[in-house]
Amino acid sequence: MKKIVVVLVIAVLIFFFFPPLFPVISFTETRTNDPHMYYVNMGKDQTFQIRFTHSIHRTDVLETYEATDGKIKMISMEYEDVAIGMPAHAEEGEKLTYEDGKYKLYTNKIVENFVLYVGDINMDLYLNYGGKEYNLKKTLQRGSSYVIEVKKVSFYEKLKGVRLAYEYEY
């Protein structure tokens, strides 16, 4: 009888720990032999934003994304200057507007993931999700690159990863 209970407990633990059940926005280190995953738990809200200060223009850029079936759809990008590194025109299927001193590029590009480089400069880099703002420069390693994905992870993967702490609610 004890063997059956032990087997049952092990089966339940395996079933609970290893299936990917928990939706997250994940940041996984690249170019390393031992990549660490950082994550933010996702709820019902499927929209998130990345806000950063452009290193040359020194103005804020706000990128808005939506999680769709395990993929990431870029909705828009808002910025103040079309000089170095920022789109000056819309491509096919996109729309570029200019209002109140800001450009807004609307798009519906869908990707599996994208890479974020965390520069070693003292400029803003935040993730906005669920009414909270996460300072990515406080947790992620400066000078490193991270693959950003929207995916489901197991309880075991969450235990191995690092949950991002939010800086404040907005």
Side-chain angles (χ1 to χ4, degrees):
M1 185 65 148
K2 285 185 181 182
K3 286 183 182 181
I4 293 173
V5 171
V6 169
V7 169
L8 225 63
V9 168
I10 290 172
V12 167
L13 288 176
I14 288 172
F15 181 75
F16 181 70
F17 276 122
F18 296 107
L21 302 172
F22 305 98
V24 298
I25 301 169
S26 73
F27 298 78
T28 306
E29 286 180 294
T30 63
R31 295 184 274 160
T32 179
N33 291 333
D34 186 24
H36 290 95
M37 180 190 72
Y38 302 84
Y39 67 90
V40 172
N41 290 319
M42 289 190 76
K44 291 181 181 182
D45 189 2
Q46 297 299 296
T47 303
F48 64 95
Q49 297 177 317
I50 294 181
R51 181 180 63 80
F52 63 94
T53 302
H54 195 284
S55 62
I56 296 171
H57 309 147
R58 306 231 191 268
T59 58
D60 279 347
V61 177
L62 183 65
E63 300 175 342
T64 303
Y65 299 93
E66 181 180 7
T68 59
D69 299 322
K71 295 183 181 177
I72 300 171
K73 177 165 76 170
M74 182 179 208
I75 304 296
S76 65
M77 178 188 297
E78 188 176 301
Y79 47 96
E80 294 179 25
D81 198 336
V82 294
I84 299 169
M86 303 309 295
H89 66 279
E91 295 181 7
E92 188 176 328
E94 297 179 336
K95 179 182 174 186
L96 181 65
T97 62
Y98 183 76
E99 234 177 79
D100 299 325
K102 292 191 181 210
Y103 293 90
K104 193 157 187 178
L105 179 67
Y106 297 92
T107 185
N108 284 310
K109 291 182 180 175
I110 297 176
V111 295
E112 298 282 330
N113 58 54
F114 61 92
V115 176
L116 174 73
Y117 177 74
V118 180
D120 191 15
I121 55 175
N122 291 324
M123 302 244 180
D124 287 351
L125 178 59
Y126 288 89
L127 169 73
N128 298 333
Y129 176 73
K132 296 179 175 130
E133 189 163 68
Y134 301 83
N135 185 343
L136 298 177
K137 291 224 173 160
K138 280 193 173 178
T139 307
L140 303 180
Q141 180 69 39
R142 291 177 180 220
S144 294
S145 297
Y146 295 84
V147 174
I148 297 178
E149 298 174 284
V150 173
K151 63 183 183 178
K152 289 187 177 181
V153 296
S154 69
F155 187 69
Y156 176 72
E157 289 172 302
K158 286 178 79 168
L159 288 175
K160 284 182 20 181
V162 177
R163 184 174 178 188
L164 293 175
Y166 65 91
E167 190 147 287
Y168 59 86
E169 295 186 45
Y170 54 91

